[in-house]
Amino acid sequence: MLQVATAEEAGGADRSILVAWVEKQAQAGKRIAGVVTFEAKGRKFVRILSTREEKMLQLNDIGEEELAKMAEHKKHRATESKSTDSAFKSSTVEQTSQAFDRPVCVVGPFVFDDEVLACARRELLTAIENPVDILVVDEIGPLEVKRGEGLEPAFKQCVSSRDKMHIVVIVRPNLWEYFGEVYGCSADMGRMDFAE
């Protein structure tokens, strides 16, 4: 079974509703794995549910100016060619990886630690090898759906195993239709109600 919810339905930036639901399920004896993304101290973090580890995903601080630039970039992105975007992305990632002295994933003004993303992907793949009752995947966004990065290709493998476990996915509302098409789950994708 695959169910989706928005970040707002999951409790916003701190994912309080999702976290409370996960704890309730664990107390009921459910085996749970997956990742929950949350914000604290102006940065994005990932909680690995099987170990309860919290890892800092976002390596850089984002100011209001960067957020405004990101909004402006989104307006113009539709007119850019893919080859220019790929060349820009490749050089930006290489420069940023050198600046942070580690592999990174750049999404707009955000710089994510690729090692943390790799740890999150391992958590998802482990849940396939050793099935759990509930797999939580927070969040699938443009990085996964449009670029095939972030939690990919692990998440696609999880979707293929949806008949073996209950998968709860946080997806941005503007990507729901595209999400269903990309992952071939439009027909059996349900809405998640954390009050249940």
Side-chain angles (χ1 to χ4, degrees), residues 79-99:
T79 60
E80 295 175 2
S81 73
K82 282 191 174 186
S83 60
T84 302
D85 189 46
S86 295
F88 171 78
K89 179 183 163 255
S90 179
S91 66
T92 301
V93 170
E94 185 177 312
Q95 292 167 356
T96 307
S97 290
Q98 290 171 357

PDB file of all heavy atoms in Angstrom, residues 79-99:
ATOM      1  N   THR A  79      12.795  28.851 -19.760  1.00  0.00           N
ATOM      2  CA  THR A  79      13.349  29.292 -21.035  1.00  0.00           C
ATOM      3  C   THR A  79      14.783  28.813 -21.257  1.00  0.00           C
ATOM      4  O   THR A  79      15.322  28.976 -22.331  1.00  0.00           O
ATOM      5  CB  THR A  79      13.329  30.836 -21.125  1.00  0.00           C
ATOM      6  OG1 THR A  79      14.117  31.368 -20.062  1.00  0.00           O
ATOM      7  CG2 THR A  79      11.906  31.356 -21.045  1.00  0.00           C
ATOM      8  N   GLU A  80      15.399  28.213 -20.224  1.00  0.00           N
ATOM      9  CA  GLU A  80      16.779  27.759 -20.366  1.00  0.00           C
ATOM     10  C   GLU A  80      16.823  26.417 -21.075  1.00  0.00           C
ATOM     11  O   GLU A  80      15.922  25.609 -20.936  1.00  0.00           O
ATOM     12  CB  GLU A  80      17.428  27.596 -18.983  1.00  0.00           C
ATOM     13  CG  GLU A  80      17.575  28.893 -18.236  1.00  0.00           C
ATOM     14  CD  GLU A  80      18.104  28.678 -16.825  1.00  0.00           C
ATOM     15  OE1 GLU A  80      18.378  27.514 -16.461  1.00  0.00           O
ATOM     16  OE2 GLU A  80      18.228  29.659 -16.116  1.00  0.00           O
ATOM     17  N   SER A  81      17.897  26.180 -21.806  1.00  0.00           N
ATOM     18  CA  SER A  81      18.033  24.878 -22.460  1.00  0.00           C
ATOM     19  C   SER A  81      18.580  23.869 -21.467  1.00  0.00           C
ATOM     20  O   SER A  81      19.275  24.222 -20.530  1.00  0.00           O
ATOM     21  CB  SER A  81      18.972  24.981 -23.662  1.00  0.00           C
ATOM     22  OG  SER A  81      20.302  25.118 -23.224  1.00  0.00           O
ATOM     23  N   LYS A  82      18.304  22.596 -21.704  1.00  0.00           N
ATOM     24  CA  LYS A  82      18.792  21.545 -20.814  1.00  0.00           C
ATOM     25  C   LYS A  82      20.307  21.477 -20.828  1.00  0.00           C
ATOM     26  O   LYS A  82      20.920  21.251 -19.796  1.00  0.00           O
ATOM     27  CB  LYS A  82      18.205  20.195 -21.209  1.00  0.00           C
ATOM     28  CG  LYS A  82      16.796  20.009 -20.752  1.00  0.00           C
ATOM     29  CD  LYS A  82      16.375  18.592 -20.943  1.00  0.00           C
ATOM     30  CE  LYS A  82      14.994  18.398 -20.332  1.00  0.00           C
ATOM     31  NZ  LYS A  82      14.594  17.017 -20.364  1.00  0.00           N
ATOM     32  N   SER A  83      20.928  21.672 -21.976  1.00  0.00           N
ATOM     33  CA  SER A  83      22.386  21.553 -22.034  1.00  0.00           C
ATOM     34  C   SER A  83      23.040  22.652 -21.202  1.00  0.00           C
ATOM     35  O   SER A  83      24.009  22.405 -20.502  1.00  0.00           O
ATOM     36  CB  SER A  83      22.881  21.599 -23.481  1.00  0.00           C
ATOM     37  OG  SER A  83      22.514  22.828 -24.073  1.00  0.00           O
ATOM     38  N   THR A  84      22.528  23.862 -21.256  1.00  0.00           N
ATOM     39  CA  THR A  84      23.071  24.950 -20.448  1.00  0.00           C
ATOM     40  C   THR A  84      22.872  24.641 -18.977  1.00  0.00           C
ATOM     41  O   THR A  84      23.783  24.805 -18.169  1.00  0.00           O
ATOM     42  CB  THR A  84      22.370  26.279 -20.805  1.00  0.00           C
ATOM     43  OG1 THR A  84      22.547  26.514 -22.186  1.00  0.00           O
ATOM     44  CG2 THR A  84      22.925  27.431 -20.007  1.00  0.00           C
ATOM     45  N   ASP A  85      21.684  24.166 -18.624  1.00  0.00           N
ATOM     46  CA  ASP A  85      21.380  23.844 -17.233  1.00  0.00           C
ATOM     47  C   ASP A  85      22.304  22.738 -16.733  1.00  0.00           C
ATOM     48  O   ASP A  85      22.832  22.815 -15.634  1.00  0.00           O
ATOM     49  CB  ASP A  85      19.915  23.418 -17.109  1.00  0.00           C
ATOM     50  CG  ASP A  85      19.476  23.282 -15.665  1.00  0.00           C
ATOM     51  OD1 ASP A  85      19.792  24.193 -14.872  1.00  0.00           O
ATOM     52  OD2 ASP A  85      18.819  22.280 -15.340  1.00  0.00           O
ATOM     53  N   SER A  86      22.539  21.706 -17.553  1.00  0.00           N
ATOM     54  CA  SER A  86      23.405  20.602 -17.146  1.00  0.00           C
ATOM     55  C   SER A  86      24.843  21.067 -16.972  1.00  0.00           C
ATOM     56  O   SER A  86      25.517  20.677 -16.026  1.00  0.00           O
ATOM     57  CB  SER A  86      23.362  19.487 -18.186  1.00  0.00           C
ATOM     58  OG  SER A  86      22.080  18.938 -18.249  1.00  0.00           O
ATOM     59  N   ALA A  87      25.317  21.892 -17.897  1.00  0.00           N
ATOM     60  CA  ALA A  87      26.688  22.397 -17.787  1.00  0.00           C
ATOM     61  C   ALA A  87      26.835  23.262 -16.542  1.00  0.00           C
ATOM     62  O   ALA A  87      27.814  23.160 -15.807  1.00  0.00           O
ATOM     63  CB  ALA A  87      27.057  23.203 -19.039  1.00  0.00           C
ATOM     64  N   PHE A  88      25.847  24.118 -16.284  1.00  0.00           N
ATOM     65  CA  PHE A  88      25.875  24.974 -15.092  1.00  0.00           C
ATOM     66  C   PHE A  88      25.849  24.112 -13.838  1.00  0.00           C
ATOM     67  O   PHE A  88      26.644  24.289 -12.935  1.00  0.00           O
ATOM     68  CB  PHE A  88      24.684  25.941 -15.102  1.00  0.00           C
ATOM     69  CG  PHE A  88      24.539  26.702 -13.815  1.00  0.00           C
ATOM     70  CD1 PHE A  88      25.362  27.781 -13.564  1.00  0.00           C
ATOM     71  CD2 PHE A  88      23.605  26.331 -12.870  1.00  0.00           C
ATOM     72  CE1 PHE A  88      25.254  28.486 -12.377  1.00  0.00           C
ATOM     73  CE2 PHE A  88      23.483  27.018 -11.681  1.00  0.00           C
ATOM     74  CZ  PHE A  88      24.312  28.100 -11.428  1.00  0.00           C
ATOM     75  N   LYS A  89      24.959  23.132 -13.819  1.00  0.00           N
ATOM     76  CA  LYS A  89      24.802  22.262 -12.657  1.00  0.00           C
ATOM     77  C   LYS A  89      26.102  21.510 -12.389  1.00  0.00           C
ATOM     78  O   LYS A  89      26.582  21.444 -11.265  1.00  0.00           O
ATOM     79  CB  LYS A  89      23.663  21.279 -12.878  1.00  0.00           C
ATOM     80  CG  LYS A  89      23.452  20.328 -11.737  1.00  0.00           C
ATOM     81  CD  LYS A  89      22.349  19.347 -12.105  1.00  0.00           C
ATOM     82  CE  LYS A  89      22.417  18.176 -11.185  1.00  0.00           C
ATOM     83  NZ  LYS A  89      22.954  16.985 -11.739  1.00  0.00           N
ATOM     84  N   SER A  90      26.696  20.956 -13.425  1.00  0.00           N
ATOM     85  CA  SER A  90      27.908  20.173 -13.267  1.00  0.00           C
ATOM     86  C   SER A  90      29.047  21.014 -12.700  1.00  0.00           C
ATOM     87  O   SER A  90      29.717  20.612 -11.756  1.00  0.00           O
ATOM     88  CB  SER A  90      28.305  19.593 -14.615  1.00  0.00           C
ATOM     89  OG  SER A  90      29.481  18.865 -14.491  1.00  0.00           O
ATOM     90  N   SER A  91      29.265  22.206 -13.237  1.00  0.00           N
ATOM     91  CA  SER A  91      30.357  23.047 -12.745  1.00  0.00           C
ATOM     92  C   SER A  91      30.059  23.559 -11.342  1.00  0.00           C
ATOM     93  O   SER A  91      30.952  23.642 -10.504  1.00  0.00           O
ATOM     94  CB  SER A  91      30.618  24.213 -13.704  1.00  0.00           C
ATOM     95  OG  SER A  91      29.510  25.085 -13.723  1.00  0.00           O
ATOM     96  N   THR A  92      28.793  23.871 -11.048  1.00  0.00           N
ATOM     97  CA  THR A  92      28.427  24.356  -9.724  1.00  0.00           C
ATOM     98  C   THR A  92      28.634  23.272  -8.674  1.00  0.00           C
ATOM     99  O   THR A  92      29.179  23.527  -7.607  1.00  0.00           O
ATOM    100  CB  THR A  92      26.952  24.827  -9.703  1.00  0.00           C
ATOM    101  OG1 THR A  92      26.800  25.856 -10.678  1.00  0.00           O
ATOM    102  CG2 THR A  92      26.556  25.349  -8.348  1.00  0.00           C
ATOM    103  N   VAL A  93      28.221  22.057  -8.970  1.00  0.00           N
ATOM    104  CA  VAL A  93      28.384  20.951  -8.022  1.00  0.00           C
ATOM    105  C   VAL A  93      29.856  20.690  -7.770  1.00  0.00           C
ATOM    106  O   VAL A  93      30.283  20.509  -6.633  1.00  0.00           O
ATOM    107  CB  VAL A  93      27.672  19.670  -8.529  1.00  0.00           C
ATOM    108  CG1 VAL A  93      28.043  18.462  -7.693  1.00  0.00           C
ATOM    109  CG2 VAL A  93      26.163  19.884  -8.517  1.00  0.00           C
ATOM    110  N   GLU A  94      30.666  20.686  -8.829  1.00  0.00           N
ATOM    111  CA  GLU A  94      32.102  20.440  -8.678  1.00  0.00           C
ATOM    112  C   GLU A  94      32.750  21.510  -7.802  1.00  0.00           C
ATOM    113  O   GLU A  94      33.490  21.203  -6.872  1.00  0.00           O
ATOM    114  CB  GLU A  94      32.768  20.405 -10.052  1.00  0.00           C
ATOM    115  CG  GLU A  94      34.241  20.039 -10.001  1.00  0.00           C
ATOM    116  CD  GLU A  94      34.832  19.949 -11.391  1.00  0.00           C
ATOM    117  OE1 GLU A  94      34.229  19.296 -12.259  1.00  0.00           O
ATOM    118  OE2 GLU A  94      35.903  20.551 -11.590  1.00  0.00           O
ATOM    119  N   GLN A  95      32.441  22.778  -8.065  1.00  0.00           N
ATOM    120  CA  GLN A  95      32.998  23.874  -7.270  1.00  0.00           C
ATOM    121  C   GLN A  95      32.522  23.796  -5.822  1.00  0.00           C
ATOM    122  O   GLN A  95      33.294  23.989  -4.884  1.00  0.00           O
ATOM    123  CB  GLN A  95      32.606  25.229  -7.865  1.00  0.00           C
ATOM    124  CG  GLN A  95      33.253  25.512  -9.193  1.00  0.00           C
ATOM    125  CD  GLN A  95      32.608  26.703  -9.893  1.00  0.00           C
ATOM    126  OE1 GLN A  95      31.642  27.270  -9.418  1.00  0.00           O
ATOM    127  NE2 GLN A  95      33.170  27.073 -11.034  1.00  0.00           N
ATOM    128  N   THR A  96      31.251  23.506  -5.630  1.00  0.00           N
ATOM    129  CA  THR A  96      30.686  23.451  -4.286  1.00  0.00           C
ATOM    130  C   THR A  96      31.244  22.261  -3.515  1.00  0.00           C
ATOM    131  O   THR A  96      31.538  22.371  -2.329  1.00  0.00           O
ATOM    132  CB  THR A  96      29.150  23.396  -4.342  1.00  0.00           C
ATOM    133  OG1 THR A  96      28.700  24.487  -5.154  1.00  0.00           O
ATOM    134  CG2 THR A  96      28.537  23.532  -2.965  1.00  0.00           C
ATOM    135  N   SER A  97      31.415  21.119  -4.165  1.00  0.00           N
ATOM    136  CA  SER A  97      32.003  19.948  -3.509  1.00  0.00           C
ATOM    137  C   SER A  97      33.401  20.271  -3.014  1.00  0.00           C
ATOM    138  O   SER A  97      33.779  19.900  -1.903  1.00  0.00           O
ATOM    139  CB  SER A  97      32.064  18.760  -4.468  1.00  0.00           C
ATOM    140  OG  SER A  97      30.783  18.263  -4.726  1.00  0.00           O
ATOM    141  N   GLN A  98      34.170  20.996  -3.835  1.00  0.00           N
ATOM    142  CA  GLN A  98      35.517  21.387  -3.423  1.00  0.00           C
ATOM    143  C   GLN A  98      35.463  22.347  -2.239  1.00  0.00           C
ATOM    144  O   GLN A  98      36.240  22.226  -1.298  1.00  0.00           O
ATOM    145  CB  GLN A  98      36.267  22.022  -4.597  1.00  0.00           C
ATOM    146  CG  GLN A  98      36.612  21.024  -5.675  1.00  0.00           C
ATOM    147  CD  GLN A  98      37.170  21.680  -6.929  1.00  0.00           C
ATOM    148  OE1 GLN A  98      37.256  22.897  -7.028  1.00  0.00           O
ATOM    149  NE2 GLN A  98      37.538  20.864  -7.899  1.00  0.00           N
ATOM    150  N   ALA A  99      34.532  23.279  -2.263  1.00  0.00           N
ATOM    151  CA  ALA A  99      34.414  24.264  -1.181  1.00  0.00           C
ATOM    152  C   ALA A  99      34.044  23.600   0.145  1.00  0.00           C
ATOM    153  O   ALA A  99      34.511  24.011   1.200  1.00  0.00           O
ATOM    154  CB  ALA A  99      33.375  25.327  -1.545  1.00  0.00           C
TER     155      ALA A  99
END
